[in-house]
Amino acid sequence: MNSTEEGIIGNQYDAGDIAWTLASTALVWLMIPGIGYFYSGMARSKNALSLIMLSCCSIAVVSVQWFLFGYSLAFSKTGGKLIGNFENAFFRGVLSDPSVGNPKIPDLVFMIFQCMFAALTPALAIGAAAERGRIVPTLVFIFLWTTFVYDFIACWTWSSNGWSFVMGGLDFAGGTPVHISSGAAALAYALVLGKRSGDQKDFRPHSMSNVVIGTCFIWFGWFGFNGGSALSANMRAAMACVVTNLAASTAGLTWVLLDYRHDRKLSVLGFCSGAVAGLVAITPASGFVGPPASVAIGFLGAVACNMAVRLKHYLKYDDAFDVFAVHGVGGIVGNILTGVFAQASIAGLDGVTVIPGGWLDGNWIQVGYQLADSTAGMTWSFVVTYLILVIMNKIPGLNLRADSEHEHAGLDLAELGETCYGHIDDKIFAPQVDVGEANSGVQSIESLGGEVKIGSVSTLGRQQSAA
């Protein structure tokens, strides 16, 4: 290598690893509006736009926080066992030095990849507050929560100085920092806000197409979420993609069959929920297990999350989109099963990583490490989230819950002044509606039995006061 080549910044890095990590960054970014669409479809139409808006705003708020000090708190190379320091605040020194995740990619690439994980996590948590949580306080909460919850857990899980990392906990792509933390936060948020007002029978998905589109974005992006966590274009990344897809497929089918036992229907919502549960459960294990184990993890994750969703109705808390049941419970199940199924041979596919494995490799203590990490993450997230919310609720202007009038009208109109389906609402709320081209007459909403069909589009024809 001549002196000119040696002087090029970043010349020592692997271009393929950089390309794969940057591509994975874009895939994870796509998951965040996917969460918004997933949540908006499960909400009532009068709150659909606000949920998409909040998901996108999560990217913006966390990106600023990550620049100010978030990345430094989570991944500074001289940080402590619990939290980092301000060494890299304002991205100082974050350019061409080797990253803490892979010496073949620079800090700059690792930083932006991890930023997407930080932005995605609060977007998951705020689903519990859907249809009743005010938007501006939610944005403040995202900033505070990322600082006092996510950054701490990410540090102890993934930083080379973090206590869980040093202990030997295995978490490839975010079982604790992303899923357990967001699930526990969602539970705290639901308890502080209280239940939504209105008849529970009205709390049904208004757009299954949005739910399916959101699921597709999430599933598609998860290849970058798990596969990209290898931080290298190698066989370990390929295996992570394979087991991710297999676990999601197994879990989606399992959830459908579980629901079929009760309802004798093949539920689209059930398939989407199951697929997400499988993706959650495989996340911590995706860089440590092979295909047979991923089938078991997908199946057991779906069963556990399905039971948790049903348990919610007995415990009577209003987690609007079952964030705790899917992400919290799914994350715990995935973490524990990682301790069971992790194999040194799979982790070693990158040619670098050496681990003692899990129970399959005779390392019996690994499940204990996983339980310790899961318990600490759940406890920290729930307690700190609860404190943040209680304190915010006492500050003038930051009260969390919308007033009853705004909640009844819907947060889209009350706080955004816009609606998701304004052009359709105008037709629905008109005194009479022209229906299709096949019927030449004009029919009232009531004569259609509460459903208005405009061309090929079917929408709910409820009275404006109930929408």
Side-chain angles (χ1 to χ4, degrees):
M1 181 181 295
N2 60 44
S3 59
T4 303
E5 290 176 323
E6 290 177 348
I8 298 175
I9 295 178
N11 190 58
Q12 71 271 36
Y13 299 119
D14 188 295
D17 290 353
I18 292 175
W20 171 238
T21 307
L22 290 176
S24 297
T25 300
L27 289 173
V28 179
W29 187 98
L30 188 63
M31 292 173 65
I32 302 173
I35 293 168
Y37 271 91
F38 185 84
Y39 285 170
S40 75
M42 294 177 67
R44 290 172 288 181
S45 60
K46 63 186 180 181
N47 299 298
L49 187 61
S50 63
L51 290 164
I52 299 173
M53 169 75 168
L54 281 172
S55 295
C56 293
C57 283
S58 182
I59 301 173
V61 171
V62 175
S63 293
V64 172
Q65 190 269 359
W66 209 239
F67 163 72
L68 293 175
F69 47 71
Y71 174 73
S72 188
L73 291 177
F75 292 105
S76 56
K77 296 173 183 177
T78 58
K81 293 182 179 180
L82 187 66
I83 191 63
N85 53 39
F86 294 98
E87 177 186 19
N88 301 120
F90 303 101
F91 292 164
R92 290 178 303 174
V94 180
L95 182 61
S96 59
D97 288 341
S99 73
V100 297
N102 176 11
K104 293 184 179 181
I105 65 172
D107 272 337
L108 193 66
V109 174
F110 179 75
M111 176 277 298
I112 190 63
F113 178 69
Q114 288 296 336
C115 179
M116 297 302 105
F117 282 65
L120 179 144
T121 307
L124 292 172
I126 59 178
E131 303 194 314
R132 63 206 190 278
R134 292 176 59 223
I135 293 175
V136 171
T138 301
L139 298 180
V140 175
F141 168 78
I142 288 173
F143 187 94
L144 295 174
W145 188 88
T146 303
T147 302
F148 293 106
V149 177
Y150 180 85
D151 291 346
F152 278 78
I153 300 177
C155 177
W156 79 52
T157 303
W158 289 323
S159 171
S160 58
N161 299 322
W163 68 262
S164 179
F165 185 91
V166 172
M167 175 184 68
L170 299 177
D171 192 338
F172 189 67
T176 301
V178 176
H179 299 298
I180 292 178
S181 69
S182 64
L187 180 61
Y189 218 144
L191 293 175
V192 171
L193 279 186
K195 295 183 179 182
R196 287 168 286 181
S197 60
D199 189 344
Q200 189 174 359
K201 295 179 180 178
D202 292 334
F203 303 152
R204 293 178 293 180
H206 88 278
S207 173
M208 282 308 304
S209 61
N210 274 11
V211 174
V212 173
I213 290 171
T215 302
C216 291
F217 281 1
I218 292 169
W219 194 333
F220 180 69
W222 223 292
F223 287 104
F225 193 87
N226 286 352
S229 292
L231 300 173
S232 181
N234 56 32
M235 285 296 295
R236 194 181 187 194
M239 181 62 78
C241 290
V242 170
V243 299
T244 295
N245 188 64
L246 195 52
S249 301
T250 302
L253 295 174
T254 300
W255 196 298
V256 167
L257 294 176
L258 290 172
D259 282 357
Y260 185 82
R261 290 175 55 250
H262 296 279
D263 306 322
R264 291 295 184 266
K265 301 289 183 182
L266 298 175
S267 169
V268 176
L269 180 60
F271 178 79
C272 292
S273 299
V276 173
L279 292 167
V280 170
I282 196 61
T283 291
S286 54
F288 304 111
V289 303
S294 71
V295 173
I297 291 172
F299 173 77
L300 294 172
V303 171
C305 294
N306 186 279
M307 293 174 61
V309 168
R310 297 183 182 280
L311 185 63
K312 178 186 75 170
H313 301 297
Y314 293 98
L315 298 178
K316 297 182 179 180
Y317 64 91
D318 189 11
D319 180 354
F321 304 139
D322 301 317
V323 183
F324 174 72
V326 174
H327 294 274
V329 173
I332 292 172
V333 170
N335 264 7
I336 295 171
L337 293 179
T338 299
V340 175
F341 294 115
Q343 293 180 273
S345 59
I346 300 297
L349 288 175
D350 60 6
V352 177
T353 304
V354 177
I355 64 169
W359 281 9
L360 289 184
D361 287 347
N363 182 29
W364 309 112
I365 192 62
Q366 192 60 52
V367 169
Y369 293 158
Q370 302 302 109
L371 283 170
D373 180 79
S374 300
T375 303
M378 175 72 74
T379 304
W380 181 272
S381 180
F382 181 84
V383 172
V384 177
T385 300
Y386 197 92
L387 290 174
I388 291 172
L389 293 171
V390 169
I391 293 171
M392 283 182 61
N393 221 12
K394 295 182 180 298
I395 298 175
L398 289 182
N399 51 302
L400 302 170
R401 182 157 184 159
D403 60 46
S404 57
E405 183 180 347
H406 287 179
E407 188 176 346
H408 180 73
L411 299 184
D412 290 359
L413 277 176
E415 299 212 359
L416 300 180
E418 300 166 329
T419 63
C420 239
Y421 313 105
H423 62 293
I424 295 178
D425 291 342
D426 291 342
K427 295 177 180 290
I428 292 174
F429 299 137
Q432 291 185 322
V433 180
D434 291 322
V435 182
E437 295 181 357
N439 296 332
S440 58
V442 175
Q443 300 182 15
S444 68
I445 292 174
E446 290 76 13
S447 69
L448 294 172
E451 180 174 331
V452 180
K453 293 184 178 179
I454 306 171
S456 61
V457 179
S458 177
T459 58
L460 294 178
R462 291 175 289 188
Q463 299 294 327
Q464 189 168 7
S465 60

